[in-house]
Amino acid sequence: MKPQPSRTPFASLLSVCVLVLALVVTAAAVTALARGPRQVTTGAARADHWVATWAAMPQLTEVGNLPPAPFTGETSVLADTTLRQTVRVTTGGHRLRLRFSNAYGDTPLPLTAVTVALPEGGRAGVSAVVPGSVQPVTFSGRAAIVVPVGAQVVSDPVDLEMDPGAELTVTAYTAQGQPDHALTSHPGSRTTSYLLRGDHVQDPDLTGATPVDHWYLLSAVEVRAPAATGTVAVVGDSLTDGRGSTTNGNDRWPDQFYDRLRSLPATSGIAVINQAAGGNRVLNDGLGPNVLARLDRDVLSSSGVSWLIVFEGVNDIGTAAATPQAQRAVADDLVAAYQQIVVRAHAQGIRVYGATLLPFGGNAYDDGAGVREAARQRVNAWIREPGHFDAVLDFDRVVRDPADPTRLRADLQVGDGLHLNPTGYGALAAAVPSNLFGARS
């Protein structure tokens, strides 16, 4: 029999080629890691995508923030009630969709009908809408839907032209209401909503409606945007939620920061969402779950987030015992938590910017002996150290009193030693470098 030719040379050559290819791929991966967090490809390589253009951190409604009678009964809330609320979108678009949350409900939440419209005069906190702008909202093709316990629902897309920075009216009717008092909301809306008995989702105005300065049920608005569009998510407490800002004025610091971005050609298409709540903490639950617990829900799973600003921690320091041991522990734990936030966000290709904590001299958090102030200084020193965050926003230096750096400037605060006024919030907004938010690439 004639011997078969040996395949050994070819096999050896093939092995060498595979090895070289593997080395090339590995080198490329190492280079990508060295460049920092992943960014999404733009241009023709990607189609348009959904981005979060407005959001409000879901919370369990406290008894004092439940809708007034008759909208809260003995065993249910919002039964046979129309709820109309306005929200400010950031980046615009011609298609939008809504997210409703039942995160804290003990019972399913039935939504009977939902509409969107443009508010009268384009203003926040009004009950009237522009005639002819009302559009029905559906969910998987149905007008009504039940939101399961602890869940959220996303609506079908709605065709509605929205300019950047425009107000949007969302109206919902719940025939049955939530058969419990465990209602999901965002009490610190700084925006007026309206409640009226009966189904009025199509009405041009809610005559005789009851005004309430809270948002209920609605947790996010998304728009279809070009692939290069990204969202900045801001995580914070009452200083970001806007305590001390103007009701219906949209002058919280994230609002004023967004106004700056919109005014600049290089950043005019960027969206900003405010995922903050008064009393919130990084380490432990307060008003709403702690940041480490809510990071996935409020940031990592939000559509289109490319950047994260972390401005939180003062409530952790202020609620820990004013002893050297307790304050050393909370400072160490905050640093570890920030590191966890950065690691988790980087895994999703999100850049993370850390903001220094503001002074609280003269506030109830001020222990007089400077123990909590020492913890704040220790945390801020770590935040400022290069390499911990992708960039540092030194808010402390912007608003502290030069004559007494343990206190806020008197002209920038509301008088409680902790919260800023609209001018103070404007100072924070002006201190954020716009060049940190270039196009996604």
Side-chain angles (χ1 to χ4, degrees):
M1 179 184 299
K2 188 175 181 180
Q4 295 295 318
S6 172
R7 295 181 178 268
T8 302
F10 175 76
S12 299
L13 180 60
L14 181 61
S15 298
V16 170
C17 291
V18 170
L19 177 60
V20 170
L21 180 60
L23 290 172
V24 170
V25 171
T26 301
V30 171
T31 301
L33 287 172
R35 289 174 179 164
R38 171 183 54 83
Q39 295 294 310
V40 181
T41 303
T42 61
R46 266 200 66 175
D48 291 355
H49 66 151
W50 290 102
V51 297
T53 188
W54 172 87
M57 174 188 152
Q59 297 173 245
L60 175 63
T61 310
E62 299 169 287
V63 173
N65 291 324
L66 284 168
F71 307 104
T72 295
E74 291 185 5
T75 59
S76 66
V77 62
L78 297 180
D80 187 30
T81 298
T82 294
L83 164 66
R84 176 165 288 178
Q85 37 202 356
T86 60
V87 299
R88 187 195 194 202
V89 304
T90 46
T91 192
H94 61 275
R95 303 195 86 195
L96 63 86
R97 65 186 187 187
L98 312 176
R99 290 181 182 260
F100 286 88
S101 175
N102 192 22
Y104 298 99
D106 293 334
T107 57
L109 168 66
L111 295 174
T112 309
V114 177
T115 62
V116 293
L118 302 177
E120 183 180 66
R123 293 177 293 147
V126 297
S127 63
V129 299
V130 175
S133 70
V134 177
Q135 300 270 8
V137 177
T138 59
F139 303 85
S140 301
R142 299 180 293 176
I145 192 168
V146 176
V147 190
V149 172
Q152 65 172 317
V153 295
V154 183
S155 78
D156 299 328
V158 180
D159 291 330
L160 184 67
E161 194 69 36
M162 295 293 303
D163 293 330
E167 291 286 335
L168 173 70
T169 297
V170 179
T171 309
Y173 172 64
T174 57
Q176 179 185 351
Q178 184 124 28
D180 198 326
H181 288 169
L183 185 69
T184 301
S185 70
H186 189 85
S189 65
R190 276 85 197 180
T191 305
T192 305
S193 303
Y194 296 88
L195 301 167
L196 187 64
R197 284 290 200 189
D199 183 355
H200 301 279
V201 297
Q202 297 283 347
D203 289 12
D205 198 357
L206 300 188
T207 304
T210 300
V212 289
D213 289 339
H214 308 300
W215 284 314
Y216 297 108
L217 310 182
L218 186 67
S219 64
V221 178
E222 301 175 347
V223 295
R224 196 73 181 171
T229 303
T231 296
V232 183
V234 185
V235 163
D237 48 38
S238 57
L239 286 160
T240 298
D241 204 27
R243 182 170 175 178
S245 64
T246 308
T247 299
N248 300 319
N250 289 321
D251 54 14
R252 314 163 190 84
W253 81 259
D255 295 313
Q256 298 190 58
F257 162 59
Y258 164 70
D259 289 336
R260 277 189 57 228
L261 292 182
R262 184 172 49 141
S263 70
L264 302 171
T267 55
S268 60
I270 290 175
V272 177
I273 59 173
N274 187 337
Q275 295 285 32
N280 197 239
R281 292 184 285 181
V282 175
L283 302 168
N284 297 302
D285 292 352
L287 292 181
N290 65 79
V291 171
L292 294 180
R294 69 184 180 92
L295 186 67
D296 289 274
R297 182 195 71 184
D298 294 345
V299 178
L300 305 186
S301 65
S302 292
S303 300
V305 173
S306 296
W307 306 275
L308 167 61
I309 296 175
V310 180
F311 178 37
E312 188 160 356
V314 69
N315 289 327
D316 297 82
I317 292 172
T319 56
T323 65
Q325 297 85 355
Q327 289 299 314
R328 278 196 300 270
V330 76
D332 289 343
D333 289 346
L334 278 172
V335 166
Y338 294 148
Q339 291 172 320
Q340 286 291 308
I341 292 168
V342 171
V343 167
R344 289 165 61 186
H346 279 182
Q348 301 300 317
I350 298 170
R351 293 192 177 276
V352 189
Y353 304 146
T356 51
L357 306 182
L358 304 192
F360 45 76
N363 183 262
Y365 284 169
D366 183 358
D367 58 90
V371 178
R372 290 192 176 112
E373 171 63 15
R376 185 183 74 91
Q377 293 289 356
R378 184 177 177 188
V379 170
N380 279 353
W382 184 89
I383 291 173
R384 291 185 179 109
E385 189 172 332
H388 291 155
F389 286 100
D390 294 306
V392 176
L393 312 178
D394 205 340
F395 286 171
D396 170 40
R397 289 180 177 169
V398 173
V399 297
R400 70 192 183 195
D401 186 344
D404 184 356
T406 68
R407 293 174 177 261
L408 295 169
R409 280 174 47 183
D411 60 324
L412 299 181
Q413 60 156 310
V414 297
D416 66 356
L418 182 62
H419 298 99
L420 302 176
N421 57 31
T423 302
Y425 288 132
L428 296 187
V432 183
S434 62
N435 61 5
L436 296 176
F437 308 92
R440 289 153 58 102
S441 59

